[in-house]
Amino acid sequence: MESERIETFINYLDQRTSSIQEDVLRLIADDRRDEANFEKIRANIFQIVKTILQASARISQEESERVGFLETKLALFQETWEGYLRKAKEHGDDLKIVQEQTRLEALAEIQDTFQKTWR
């Protein structure tokens, strides 16, 4: 049985994913494929976080342990993606820069909601 906060957070991730997927379809219909591709990256981040939170149930049924596991993963993502962003800037890779910025923006939104939910 998942806690109410975990369930609420999963619902938030699902709602954001659906909203972003609607944006993707609208952008494709407007022939704005590049923007749609960045939104697909954003949606993917929300789904990855949901999968990690659901997988945390195999580690523990205790909410605090599951939340701690997710918190550790979010921090690792941030560190990794900031490193990728630095490398992309060093190499002047504009596409990679925007991809990493998109990942970090999605992560920041998720972390904000995570903090509001548990802190």
PDB file of all heavy atoms in Angstrom, residues 16-44 102:
ATOM      1  N   ARG A  16       1.744  15.716 -15.406  1.00  0.00           N
ATOM      2  CA  ARG A  16       2.727  16.533 -16.151  1.00  0.00           C
ATOM      3  C   ARG A  16       3.130  15.836 -17.447  1.00  0.00           C
ATOM      4  O   ARG A  16       3.262  16.476 -18.480  1.00  0.00           O
ATOM      5  CB  ARG A  16       3.949  16.825 -15.293  1.00  0.00           C
ATOM      6  CG  ARG A  16       3.708  17.879 -14.250  1.00  0.00           C
ATOM      7  CD  ARG A  16       3.397  19.258 -14.862  1.00  0.00           C
ATOM      8  NE  ARG A  16       4.583  19.808 -15.499  1.00  0.00           N
ATOM      9  CZ  ARG A  16       4.616  20.349 -16.722  1.00  0.00           C
ATOM     10  NH1 ARG A  16       3.536  20.417 -17.455  1.00  0.00           N
ATOM     11  NH2 ARG A  16       5.747  20.828 -17.199  1.00  0.00           N
ATOM     12  N   THR A  17       3.310  14.513 -17.381  1.00  0.00           N
ATOM     13  CA  THR A  17       3.667  13.761 -18.582  1.00  0.00           C
ATOM     14  C   THR A  17       2.565  13.901 -19.631  1.00  0.00           C
ATOM     15  O   THR A  17       2.851  14.178 -20.800  1.00  0.00           O
ATOM     16  CB  THR A  17       3.907  12.273 -18.251  1.00  0.00           C
ATOM     17  OG1 THR A  17       4.956  12.176 -17.298  1.00  0.00           O
ATOM     18  CG2 THR A  17       4.278  11.481 -19.499  1.00  0.00           C
ATOM     19  N   SER A  18       1.318  13.730 -19.222  1.00  0.00           N
ATOM     20  CA  SER A  18       0.194  13.857 -20.160  1.00  0.00           C
ATOM     21  C   SER A  18       0.133  15.248 -20.767  1.00  0.00           C
ATOM     22  O   SER A  18      -0.069  15.403 -21.977  1.00  0.00           O
ATOM     23  CB  SER A  18      -1.133  13.569 -19.452  1.00  0.00           C
ATOM     24  OG  SER A  18      -1.222  12.216 -19.146  1.00  0.00           O
ATOM     25  N   SER A  19       0.304  16.248 -19.928  1.00  0.00           N
ATOM     26  CA  SER A  19       0.269  17.635 -20.396  1.00  0.00           C
ATOM     27  C   SER A  19       1.374  17.895 -21.422  1.00  0.00           C
ATOM     28  O   SER A  19       1.148  18.516 -22.468  1.00  0.00           O
ATOM     29  CB  SER A  19       0.415  18.566 -19.199  1.00  0.00           C
ATOM     30  OG  SER A  19       0.583  19.898 -19.612  1.00  0.00           O
ATOM     31  N   ILE A  20       2.561  17.416 -21.121  1.00  0.00           N
ATOM     32  CA  ILE A  20       3.693  17.611 -22.032  1.00  0.00           C
ATOM     33  C   ILE A  20       3.456  16.851 -23.333  1.00  0.00           C
ATOM     34  O   ILE A  20       3.749  17.362 -24.422  1.00  0.00           O
ATOM     35  CB  ILE A  20       5.013  17.182 -21.362  1.00  0.00           C
ATOM     36  CG1 ILE A  20       5.329  18.116 -20.179  1.00  0.00           C
ATOM     37  CG2 ILE A  20       6.165  17.184 -22.368  1.00  0.00           C
ATOM     38  CD1 ILE A  20       6.403  17.589 -19.243  1.00  0.00           C
ATOM     39  N   GLN A  21       2.901  15.642 -23.247  1.00  0.00           N
ATOM     40  CA  GLN A  21       2.637  14.863 -24.455  1.00  0.00           C
ATOM     41  C   GLN A  21       1.604  15.568 -25.343  1.00  0.00           C
ATOM     42  O   GLN A  21       1.705  15.506 -26.570  1.00  0.00           O
ATOM     43  CB  GLN A  21       2.200  13.444 -24.095  1.00  0.00           C
ATOM     44  CG  GLN A  21       3.372  12.618 -23.578  1.00  0.00           C
ATOM     45  CD  GLN A  21       2.977  11.289 -22.978  1.00  0.00           C
ATOM     46  OE1 GLN A  21       1.840  11.092 -22.555  1.00  0.00           O
ATOM     47  NE2 GLN A  21       3.920  10.367 -22.933  1.00  0.00           N
ATOM     48  N   GLU A  22       0.636  16.244 -24.737  1.00  0.00           N
ATOM     49  CA  GLU A  22      -0.314  17.048 -25.520  1.00  0.00           C
ATOM     50  C   GLU A  22       0.427  18.185 -26.230  1.00  0.00           C
ATOM     51  O   GLU A  22       0.148  18.488 -27.390  1.00  0.00           O
ATOM     52  CB  GLU A  22      -1.413  17.611 -24.616  1.00  0.00           C
ATOM     53  CG  GLU A  22      -2.389  16.564 -24.129  1.00  0.00           C
ATOM     54  CD  GLU A  22      -3.352  17.110 -23.079  1.00  0.00           C
ATOM     55  OE1 GLU A  22      -3.458  18.356 -22.919  1.00  0.00           O
ATOM     56  OE2 GLU A  22      -4.002  16.288 -22.413  1.00  0.00           O
ATOM     57  N   ASP A  23       1.363  18.813 -25.519  1.00  0.00           N
ATOM     58  CA  ASP A  23       2.174  19.875 -26.129  1.00  0.00           C
ATOM     59  C   ASP A  23       2.968  19.330 -27.308  1.00  0.00           C
ATOM     60  O   ASP A  23       3.092  20.000 -28.345  1.00  0.00           O
ATOM     61  CB  ASP A  23       3.141  20.489 -25.111  1.00  0.00           C
ATOM     62  CG  ASP A  23       2.439  21.287 -24.019  1.00  0.00           C
ATOM     63  OD1 ASP A  23       1.255  21.658 -24.210  1.00  0.00           O
ATOM     64  OD2 ASP A  23       3.079  21.533 -22.975  1.00  0.00           O
ATOM     65  N   VAL A  24       3.516  18.132 -27.166  1.00  0.00           N
ATOM     66  CA  VAL A  24       4.297  17.513 -28.240  1.00  0.00           C
ATOM     67  C   VAL A  24       3.426  17.365 -29.490  1.00  0.00           C
ATOM     68  O   VAL A  24       3.835  17.738 -30.592  1.00  0.00           O
ATOM     69  CB  VAL A  24       4.863  16.134 -27.804  1.00  0.00           C
ATOM     70  CG1 VAL A  24       5.405  15.351 -28.996  1.00  0.00           C
ATOM     71  CG2 VAL A  24       5.947  16.315 -26.752  1.00  0.00           C
ATOM     72  N   LEU A  25       2.217  16.838 -29.300  1.00  0.00           N
ATOM     73  CA  LEU A  25       1.319  16.645 -30.446  1.00  0.00           C
ATOM     74  C   LEU A  25       0.971  17.974 -31.109  1.00  0.00           C
ATOM     75  O   LEU A  25       0.936  18.078 -32.339  1.00  0.00           O
ATOM     76  CB  LEU A  25       0.046  15.914 -30.007  1.00  0.00           C
ATOM     77  CG  LEU A  25       0.240  14.469 -29.531  1.00  0.00           C
ATOM     78  CD1 LEU A  25      -1.063  13.896 -29.010  1.00  0.00           C
ATOM     79  CD2 LEU A  25       0.826  13.606 -30.646  1.00  0.00           C
ATOM     80  N   ARG A  26       0.729  18.988 -30.298  1.00  0.00           N
ATOM     81  CA  ARG A  26       0.404  20.313 -30.839  1.00  0.00           C
ATOM     82  C   ARG A  26       1.593  20.879 -31.623  1.00  0.00           C
ATOM     83  O   ARG A  26       1.430  21.431 -32.708  1.00  0.00           O
ATOM     84  CB  ARG A  26       0.005  21.261 -29.701  1.00  0.00           C
ATOM     85  CG  ARG A  26      -0.627  22.560 -30.194  1.00  0.00           C
ATOM     86  CD  ARG A  26      -0.943  23.539 -29.066  1.00  0.00           C
ATOM     87  NE  ARG A  26       0.293  24.141 -28.557  1.00  0.00           N
ATOM     88  CZ  ARG A  26       0.893  23.842 -27.415  1.00  0.00           C
ATOM     89  NH1 ARG A  26       0.372  22.951 -26.600  1.00  0.00           N
ATOM     90  NH2 ARG A  26       2.008  24.432 -27.050  1.00  0.00           N
ATOM     91  N   LEU A  27       2.802  20.733 -31.082  1.00  0.00           N
ATOM     92  CA  LEU A  27       3.995  21.239 -31.751  1.00  0.00           C
ATOM     93  C   LEU A  27       4.244  20.510 -33.068  1.00  0.00           C
ATOM     94  O   LEU A  27       4.612  21.131 -34.066  1.00  0.00           O
ATOM     95  CB  LEU A  27       5.213  21.118 -30.828  1.00  0.00           C
ATOM     96  CG  LEU A  27       5.216  22.078 -29.638  1.00  0.00           C
ATOM     97  CD1 LEU A  27       6.251  21.648 -28.602  1.00  0.00           C
ATOM     98  CD2 LEU A  27       5.466  23.508 -30.091  1.00  0.00           C
ATOM     99  N   ILE A  28       4.025  19.201 -33.074  1.00  0.00           N
ATOM    100  CA  ILE A  28       4.187  18.437 -34.319  1.00  0.00           C
ATOM    101  C   ILE A  28       3.166  18.898 -35.354  1.00  0.00           C
ATOM    102  O   ILE A  28       3.502  19.092 -36.522  1.00  0.00           O
ATOM    103  CB  ILE A  28       4.087  16.914 -34.051  1.00  0.00           C
ATOM    104  CG1 ILE A  28       5.325  16.446 -33.271  1.00  0.00           C
ATOM    105  CG2 ILE A  28       3.933  16.133 -35.352  1.00  0.00           C
ATOM    106  CD1 ILE A  28       5.241  15.021 -32.751  1.00  0.00           C
ATOM    107  N   ALA A  29       1.926  19.108 -34.899  1.00  0.00           N
ATOM    108  CA  ALA A  29       0.873  19.577 -35.814  1.00  0.00           C
ATOM    109  C   ALA A  29       1.224  20.947 -36.391  1.00  0.00           C
ATOM    110  O   ALA A  29       0.864  21.257 -37.535  1.00  0.00           O
ATOM    111  CB  ALA A  29      -0.468  19.628 -35.087  1.00  0.00           C
ATOM    112  N   ASP A  30       1.927  21.757 -35.609  1.00  0.00           N
ATOM    113  CA  ASP A  30       2.359  23.092 -36.067  1.00  0.00           C
ATOM    114  C   ASP A  30       3.683  23.037 -36.827  1.00  0.00           C
ATOM    115  O   ASP A  30       4.276  24.072 -37.120  1.00  0.00           O
ATOM    116  CB  ASP A  30       2.527  24.040 -34.866  1.00  0.00           C
ATOM    117  CG  ASP A  30       1.210  24.426 -34.230  1.00  0.00           C
ATOM    118  OD1 ASP A  30       0.146  24.198 -34.852  1.00  0.00           O
ATOM    119  OD2 ASP A  30       1.244  24.964 -33.102  1.00  0.00           O
ATOM    120  N   ASP A  31       4.150  21.817 -37.105  1.00  0.00           N
ATOM    121  CA  ASP A  31       5.413  21.600 -37.819  1.00  0.00           C
ATOM    122  C   ASP A  31       6.601  22.213 -37.073  1.00  0.00           C
ATOM    123  O   ASP A  31       7.479  22.833 -37.664  1.00  0.00           O
ATOM    124  CB  ASP A  31       5.325  22.126 -39.257  1.00  0.00           C
ATOM    125  CG  ASP A  31       6.358  21.480 -40.171  1.00  0.00           C
ATOM    126  OD1 ASP A  31       6.793  20.350 -39.868  1.00  0.00           O
ATOM    127  OD2 ASP A  31       6.763  22.117 -41.157  1.00  0.00           O
ATOM    128  N   ARG A  32       6.584  22.037 -35.757  1.00  0.00           N
ATOM    129  CA  ARG A  32       7.671  22.532 -34.896  1.00  0.00           C
ATOM    130  C   ARG A  32       8.334  21.327 -34.230  1.00  0.00           C
ATOM    131  O   ARG A  32       8.318  21.158 -33.021  1.00  0.00           O
ATOM    132  CB  ARG A  32       7.105  23.521 -33.876  1.00  0.00           C
ATOM    133  CG  ARG A  32       6.567  24.788 -34.560  1.00  0.00           C
ATOM    134  CD  ARG A  32       5.637  25.604 -33.693  1.00  0.00           C
ATOM    135  NE  ARG A  32       6.207  26.022 -32.432  1.00  0.00           N
ATOM    136  CZ  ARG A  32       5.488  26.581 -31.453  1.00  0.00           C
ATOM    137  NH1 ARG A  32       4.193  26.787 -31.619  1.00  0.00           N
ATOM    138  NH2 ARG A  32       6.065  26.932 -30.321  1.00  0.00           N
ATOM    139  N   ARG A  33       8.918  20.485 -35.076  1.00  0.00           N
ATOM    140  CA  ARG A  33       9.464  19.196 -34.621  1.00  0.00           C
ATOM    141  C   ARG A  33      10.628  19.342 -33.645  1.00  0.00           C
ATOM    142  O   ARG A  33      10.755  18.536 -32.721  1.00  0.00           O
ATOM    143  CB  ARG A  33       9.862  18.343 -35.809  1.00  0.00           C
ATOM    144  CG  ARG A  33       8.661  17.879 -36.595  1.00  0.00           C
ATOM    145  CD  ARG A  33       8.938  16.634 -37.411  1.00  0.00           C
ATOM    146  NE  ARG A  33       7.745  16.237 -38.131  1.00  0.00           N
ATOM    147  CZ  ARG A  33       6.798  15.445 -37.630  1.00  0.00           C
ATOM    148  NH1 ARG A  33       6.918  14.991 -36.413  1.00  0.00           N
ATOM    149  NH2 ARG A  33       5.753  15.122 -38.343  1.00  0.00           N
ATOM    150  N   ASP A  34      11.486  20.324 -33.859  1.00  0.00           N
ATOM    151  CA  ASP A  34      12.613  20.486 -32.934  1.00  0.00           C
ATOM    152  C   ASP A  34      12.116  20.757 -31.519  1.00  0.00           C
ATOM    153  O   ASP A  34      12.584  20.143 -30.554  1.00  0.00           O
ATOM    154  CB  ASP A  34      13.542  21.621 -33.387  1.00  0.00           C
ATOM    155  CG  ASP A  34      14.343  21.258 -34.627  1.00  0.00           C
ATOM    156  OD1 ASP A  34      14.421  20.054 -34.962  1.00  0.00           O
ATOM    157  OD2 ASP A  34      14.882  22.177 -35.256  1.00  0.00           O
ATOM    158  N   GLU A  35      11.153  21.670 -31.394  1.00  0.00           N
ATOM    159  CA  GLU A  35      10.587  21.964 -30.078  1.00  0.00           C
ATOM    160  C   GLU A  35       9.886  20.739 -29.509  1.00  0.00           C
ATOM    161  O   GLU A  35       9.973  20.466 -28.305  1.00  0.00           O
ATOM    162  CB  GLU A  35       9.603  23.129 -30.174  1.00  0.00           C
ATOM    163  CG  GLU A  35      10.258  24.465 -30.477  1.00  0.00           C
ATOM    164  CD  GLU A  35       9.230  25.539 -30.761  1.00  0.00           C
ATOM    165  OE1 GLU A  35       8.613  26.008 -29.785  1.00  0.00           O
ATOM    166  OE2 GLU A  35       9.056  25.888 -31.935  1.00  0.00           O
ATOM    167  N   ALA A  36       9.195  19.998 -30.369  1.00  0.00           N
ATOM    168  CA  ALA A  36       8.508  18.779 -29.926  1.00  0.00           C
ATOM    169  C   ALA A  36       9.516  17.773 -29.368  1.00  0.00           C
ATOM    170  O   ALA A  36       9.258  17.123 -28.351  1.00  0.00           O
ATOM    171  CB  ALA A  36       7.720  18.160 -31.079  1.00  0.00           C
ATOM    172  N   ASN A  37      10.672  17.673 -30.008  1.00  0.00           N
ATOM    173  CA  ASN A  37      11.703  16.740 -29.537  1.00  0.00           C
ATOM    174  C   ASN A  37      12.214  17.122 -28.151  1.00  0.00           C
ATOM    175  O   ASN A  37      12.462  16.251 -27.314  1.00  0.00           O
ATOM    176  CB  ASN A  37      12.850  16.649 -30.538  1.00  0.00           C
ATOM    177  CG  ASN A  37      12.448  15.897 -31.794  1.00  0.00           C
ATOM    178  OD1 ASN A  37      11.524  15.084 -31.789  1.00  0.00           O
ATOM    179  ND2 ASN A  37      13.135  16.173 -32.889  1.00  0.00           N
ATOM    180  N   PHE A  38      12.354  18.415 -27.887  1.00  0.00           N
ATOM    181  CA  PHE A  38      12.786  18.844 -26.558  1.00  0.00           C
ATOM    182  C   PHE A  38      11.709  18.538 -25.519  1.00  0.00           C
ATOM    183  O   PHE A  38      12.023  18.141 -24.386  1.00  0.00           O
ATOM    184  CB  PHE A  38      13.148  20.335 -26.544  1.00  0.00           C
ATOM    185  CG  PHE A  38      14.368  20.647 -27.359  1.00  0.00           C
ATOM    186  CD1 PHE A  38      14.328  21.618 -28.350  1.00  0.00           C
ATOM    187  CD2 PHE A  38      15.562  19.973 -27.152  1.00  0.00           C
ATOM    188  CE1 PHE A  38      15.455  21.903 -29.119  1.00  0.00           C
ATOM    189  CE2 PHE A  38      16.695  20.251 -27.915  1.00  0.00           C
ATOM    190  CZ  PHE A  38      16.631  21.219 -28.907  1.00  0.00           C
ATOM    191  N   GLU A  39      10.447  18.694 -25.903  1.00  0.00           N
ATOM    192  CA  GLU A  39       9.357  18.375 -24.978  1.00  0.00           C
ATOM    193  C   GLU A  39       9.301  16.872 -24.707  1.00  0.00           C
ATOM    194  O   GLU A  39       8.951  16.451 -23.604  1.00  0.00           O
ATOM    195  CB  GLU A  39       8.020  18.902 -25.502  1.00  0.00           C
ATOM    196  CG  GLU A  39       7.911  20.416 -25.457  1.00  0.00           C
ATOM    197  CD  GLU A  39       8.161  20.982 -24.063  1.00  0.00           C
ATOM    198  OE1 GLU A  39       7.443  20.607 -23.114  1.00  0.00           O
ATOM    199  OE2 GLU A  39       9.089  21.807 -23.914  1.00  0.00           O
ATOM    200  N   LYS A  40       9.660  16.060 -25.699  1.00  0.00           N
ATOM    201  CA  LYS A  40       9.715  14.609 -25.485  1.00  0.00           C
ATOM    202  C   LYS A  40      10.774  14.279 -24.433  1.00  0.00           C
ATOM    203  O   LYS A  40      10.568  13.391 -23.595  1.00  0.00           O
ATOM    204  CB  LYS A  40      10.041  13.881 -26.791  1.00  0.00           C
ATOM    205  CG  LYS A  40       8.892  13.842 -27.774  1.00  0.00           C
ATOM    206  CD  LYS A  40       9.325  13.154 -29.062  1.00  0.00           C
ATOM    207  CE  LYS A  40       8.273  13.243 -30.133  1.00  0.00           C
ATOM    208  NZ  LYS A  40       8.737  12.628 -31.400  1.00  0.00           N
ATOM    209  N   ILE A  41      11.891  14.983 -24.477  1.00  0.00           N
ATOM    210  CA  ILE A  41      12.935  14.793 -23.463  1.00  0.00           C
ATOM    211  C   ILE A  41      12.360  15.121 -22.084  1.00  0.00           C
ATOM    212  O   ILE A  41      12.551  14.379 -21.123  1.00  0.00           O
ATOM    213  CB  ILE A  41      14.171  15.681 -23.766  1.00  0.00           C
ATOM    214  CG1 ILE A  41      14.903  15.175 -25.011  1.00  0.00           C
ATOM    215  CG2 ILE A  41      15.114  15.733 -22.557  1.00  0.00           C
ATOM    216  CD1 ILE A  41      15.982  16.117 -25.531  1.00  0.00           C
ATOM    217  N   ARG A  42      11.646  16.247 -22.003  1.00  0.00           N
ATOM    218  CA  ARG A  42      11.049  16.670 -20.732  1.00  0.00           C
ATOM    219  C   ARG A  42      10.094  15.586 -20.208  1.00  0.00           C
ATOM    220  O   ARG A  42      10.160  15.197 -19.030  1.00  0.00           O
ATOM    221  CB  ARG A  42      10.311  17.997 -20.939  1.00  0.00           C
ATOM    222  CG  ARG A  42       9.811  18.646 -19.674  1.00  0.00           C
ATOM    223  CD  ARG A  42       9.072  19.965 -19.948  1.00  0.00           C
ATOM    224  NE  ARG A  42       9.766  20.860 -20.851  1.00  0.00           N
ATOM    225  CZ  ARG A  42      10.744  21.706 -20.486  1.00  0.00           C
ATOM    226  NH1 ARG A  42      11.132  21.745 -19.225  1.00  0.00           N
ATOM    227  NH2 ARG A  42      11.301  22.503 -21.370  1.00  0.00           N
ATOM    228  N   ALA A  43       9.217  15.091 -21.055  1.00  0.00           N
ATOM    229  CA  ALA A  43       8.254  14.057 -20.644  1.00  0.00           C
ATOM    230  C   ALA A  43       8.989  12.807 -20.164  1.00  0.00           C
ATOM    231  O   ALA A  43       8.576  12.169 -19.182  1.00  0.00           O
ATOM    232  CB  ALA A  43       7.318  13.717 -21.802  1.00  0.00           C
ATOM    233  N   ASN A  44      10.067  12.470 -20.841  1.00  0.00           N
ATOM    234  CA  ASN A  44      10.850  11.298 -20.482  1.00  0.00           C
ATOM    235  C   ASN A  44      11.410  11.413 -19.065  1.00  0.00           C
ATOM    236  O   ASN A  44      11.424  10.427 -18.313  1.00  0.00           O
ATOM    237  CB  ASN A  44      11.973  11.103 -21.505  1.00  0.00           C
ATOM    238  CG  ASN A  44      12.668   9.776 -21.356  1.00  0.00           C
ATOM    239  OD1 ASN A  44      12.067   8.775 -20.998  1.00  0.00           O
ATOM    240  ND2 ASN A  44      13.947   9.773 -21.633  1.00  0.00           N
ATOM    241  N   THR A 102      17.112  21.402 -20.943  1.00  0.00           N
ATOM    242  CA  THR A 102      15.742  20.887 -20.861  1.00  0.00           C
ATOM    243  C   THR A 102      15.636  19.840 -19.755  1.00  0.00           C
ATOM    244  O   THR A 102      14.694  19.863 -18.952  1.00  0.00           O
ATOM    245  CB  THR A 102      15.313  20.294 -22.223  1.00  0.00           C
ATOM    246  OG1 THR A 102      15.389  21.318 -23.221  1.00  0.00           O
ATOM    247  CG2 THR A 102      13.895  19.737 -22.165  1.00  0.00           C
TER     248      THR A 102
END
